[in-house]
Amino acid sequence: MDIRFLGHAAFELKDGDTSLVVDPFLTGNPKAAVEPGDLNPTTILLTHGHADHIGDTVDIAKASGAPVVAIVELAGEIGESGVDTFDPNLGGTVEFDWGWVRLVPAWHTSTTPNGTVNTPAGLVINFGGKTVYHLGDTALFSDLQLVARRDQIDVALVPIGGHYTMDRHDAVTAVEFVTPSVVIPCHYDTFPPIETDAEAFKGDVENDTGATCVILAPGETHSE
Ligand code: NI
Ligand code: MN
């Protein structure tokens, strides 16, 4: 299973012909590694409805026919544009022939560009025999440790940029809670307010936790 960083908080998980795309904010993203038309996902997964996450979702879904998984209020807005949706709420799991995805809490706020208020989530994704946890946009909170009680996390995708999410220091504690094998940082260096030192984060993670930190430049891939 390949995890390709598309820039900011956007990732593609790929196993054979199956492609899962998370938070495809590409248009207007100075770090975008691809254009919306370059993607042909099987399923699109959203953490929340802020513009830097919902991004090009509707255009990509219309072009590919991929359904969108998003928390119920966000799925409701996206469904109005004629796109197929799955609409779980926090704690809910949606099963597919490729695996499953569960929405878990994230401490953040969210309103879409169209004004729909929606509760942010993290995504626990079981795919290709691995479990990947995209933390979404979140502050540090103690219940992050509950995710690992249910599922051993192989790869955690962790925001480290600060300002809109936890910073690289709190993110190290989040890694202690989630206990993944591999950590890939995201949501940093896209814009000036979220510039940070990813190499320092990597050093702290590898000193203080049992995880390995893999820094991906936009467009780079980590294989599991
Ligand atoms: Ni956000
Ligand atoms: Mn964000």
Side-chain angles (χ1 to χ4, degrees):
M1 198 264 292
D2 291 332
I3 300 173
R4 180 164 60 138
F5 183 42
L6 302 180
H8 196 55
F11 288 87
E12 180 184 38
L13 312 185
K14 198 157 192 201
D15 183 30
D17 291 336
T18 305
S19 161
L20 311 183
V21 169
V22 183
D23 287 0
F25 164 53
L26 303 171
T27 302
N29 174 357
K31 301 288 188 178
V34 298
E35 297 188 359
D38 297 333
L39 299 174
N40 186 24
T42 308
T43 310
I44 300 169
L45 311 175
L46 296 182
T47 62
H48 66 295
H50 273 152
D52 61 317
H53 297 261
I54 192 170
D56 300 288
T57 293
V58 170
D59 288 344
I60 295 168
K62 284 184 173 173
S64 62
V68 178
V69 181
I71 201 161
V72 56
E73 290 80 7
L74 180 56
E77 180 189 307
I78 289 169
E80 287 172 10
S81 56
V83 168
D84 289 339
T85 61
F86 293 88
D87 64 347
N89 210 316
L90 295 175
T93 301
V94 183
E95 298 200 11
F96 294 89
D97 51 13
W98 51 256
W100 50 260
V101 58
R102 177 160 53 254
L103 269 58
V104 296
W107 253 111
H108 190 63
T109 66
S110 187
T111 304
T112 68
N114 291 334
T116 304
V117 175
N118 58 101
T119 300
L123 304 171
V124 182
I125 304 162
N126 184 261
F127 175 57
K130 299 287 179 176
T131 303
V132 177
Y133 177 18
H134 192 309
L135 274 67
D137 283 4
T138 188
L140 177 64
F141 64 112
S142 58
D143 282 357
L144 289 167
Q145 63 197 298
L146 297 179
V147 174
R149 292 209 182 181
R150 174 119 176 223
D151 299 299
Q152 172 59 47
I153 303 301
D154 295 298
V155 181
L157 311 176
V158 178
I160 66 166
H163 195 86
Y164 301 114
T165 68
M166 60 188 176
D167 62 15
R168 68 176 178 87
H169 304 285
D170 280 347
V172 176
T173 305
V175 172
E176 292 175 356
F177 285 160
V178 174
T179 63
S181 300
V182 172
V183 178
I184 299 174
C186 64
H187 214 280
Y188 68 96
D189 286 1
T190 318
F191 312 107
I194 61 172
E195 286 175 0
T196 196
D197 186 342
E199 290 289 347
F201 171 71
K202 175 180 168 70
D204 290 342
V205 163
E206 295 185 349
N207 279 331
D208 299 352
T209 81
T212 298
C213 180
V214 176
I215 297 173
L216 296 179
E220 288 186 337
T221 296
H222 169 75
S223 296
E224 272 290 305

